Amino acid sequence: MNGGVNGVALGVFIFFFLAVTVLGFLAARWRKASNENSLEEWGLGGRSFGTWVTWFLLGGDLYTAYTFVAVPAAIYAAGASGFFAVPYTILVYPLIFTFLPRLWSVSHRHGYVTPSDFVRGRFGSKGLSLAIAVTGILATMPYIALQLVGIQAVLDVMGIGGGADTNWFVKDLPLFIAFLVLAAYTYVSGLRAPALIAFVKDSLIYIVILVAIIYIPIKLGGFDDIFAKAAHAFSQVNPATGKPKGALAPAATGQWGYATLALGSALALFMYPHSITATLSSRSREVIRRNTTMLPLYSLMLGLLAILGFMAIAAGVKVTNGQLAIPTLFAQMFPSWFAGVAFAAIGIGALVPAAIMSIAAANLFTRNIYRDFIKPDATPAQETRVSKLVSLLVKVGALVFVLGMDQTVAINFQLLGGIWILQTMPAIVSGLFTRWFHRWALLVGWAAGMVYGTLAAYGVASPTQKHFGGSSAEIPGIGQIGYIGMTAFVLNVVVAVVLTFVFRAFKAPEGMDETTASDYVADAGDKDVVVELPPAPVN
């Protein structure tokens, strides 16, 4: 889109891509596993990561190409409403400080690899565990796809892949190559690969953001001019809607939507399988507690990053696909060599979380579908082999998803995944503190939230989409526009509470709880640690 290939930027990008590829394969020798045929070693890094490795891993896991591309793109397109990601990352850390250490402890004590393992052990229900696992896999797929969209956006801006009339295979060949490399080193090294690469990814991102927030405003005449030009652009009427294109601050009519989206996203963030996988890979309960106090440093970076959307407007960036706004801004404002560094930060920022997400989804399938329903007597070596193969299939599915969807609305598909994953919270988080909820009530509540959330999202239209055009709709009984995920979550909890009373009244079977109170405060080195799950009880 820049009239040709940016050779210097491409050279720098390739250098960093090759460097992290080498790191990805070398990671198999880093903290070498004592037993390579163990799912805990391949899928959780042997539960051996300390404070700094976990911090970089979680940062690389949570602050992704979505952060670099889609958040500023949302602000570029609509203004302040795109800032919802900033408050939700602030809200999330006090929340997870209360429950993540408990999840780590009980998982360490019983050898749980996935959140579904915990749910099955806590409530004695393979049906509820299956629901959590399927939801996690479904919600992860569009999230992985969004990372690939980030890579593709960078490649497009660098002029790789040809124009719109180029043969589809040639156009998408660089993305295929990136996918194959990612698949290869993830298969070989497991979670150790993204853990090691995350050091490079986060360092690059911090460098690029610090330079951008100083260098670009100087070239654009300062922040006063940036905000003035953005305000003028947002005041223009959008012909498709007949309303202003956006605003520098949320309008009164949009405050419910903004607040519920931020809160719902905060509740959902650590329900994602990849977030929990990165958490369970740490070596102690104290590592988790320290990380929840350190991770807000990334929120500061996110706030600065979001402002790049305003800078793109002030710089006169004109793109039909909002995902290209920030890469285009970098190409226009930075020298070619540093634009290559910025593009590498985005590309690696996609590879790290995509690897963790595919591993997390594969672990869910292996432990909670393959082992529970297909081969209950699977050996650790069989589990590891299946998980490796499924991680490849998950990446293939995400690639097909990217190549077959309208990429201008990629963020809406990820937000749909947020609606789904939020429905797993009642079972996972409540189970960490109480067993009051009945397992069948939680299952029906989950189903109610999933059905309502999906149908409500299906009915949302936008100027470019007839269905799944957004994640906000009218809240029943209130009349305000709000995040569908939160409405579905409230319905989920209400149904679970009511049906718990009903099932208790009819003395429905409760299921066996294999955990004890001491499991939730256990730390590394405590006795009686179980490293493999027993066969699942039949529901």
Side-chain angles (χ1 to χ4, degrees), residues 31 41 44-50 53-54 192 280-283:
R31 298 170 180 262
E41 291 290 350
L44 290 182
R47 303 184 193 263
S48 63
F49 298 147
V53 176
T54 302
R192 287 175 171 80
L280 297 184
S281 69
S282 60
R283 68 186 177 203

Side-chain angles (χ1 to χ4, degrees), residues 238-264:
N238 185 341
T241 63
K243 299 178 181 179
K245 294 181 179 180
L248 286 179
T253 54
Q255 290 176 2
W256 269 86
Y258 184 90
T260 54
L261 179 57
L263 178 59

Side-chain angles (χ1 to χ4, degrees), residues 507-534:
K507 300 187 185 304
E510 292 280 356
M512 182 183 69
D513 180 7
E514 68 182 26
T515 70
T516 64
S518 63
D519 293 340
Y520 296 89
V521 293
D523 207 343
D526 290 354
K527 296 180 179 180
D528 301 321
V529 174
V530 181
V531 296
E532 292 296 338
L533 284 172

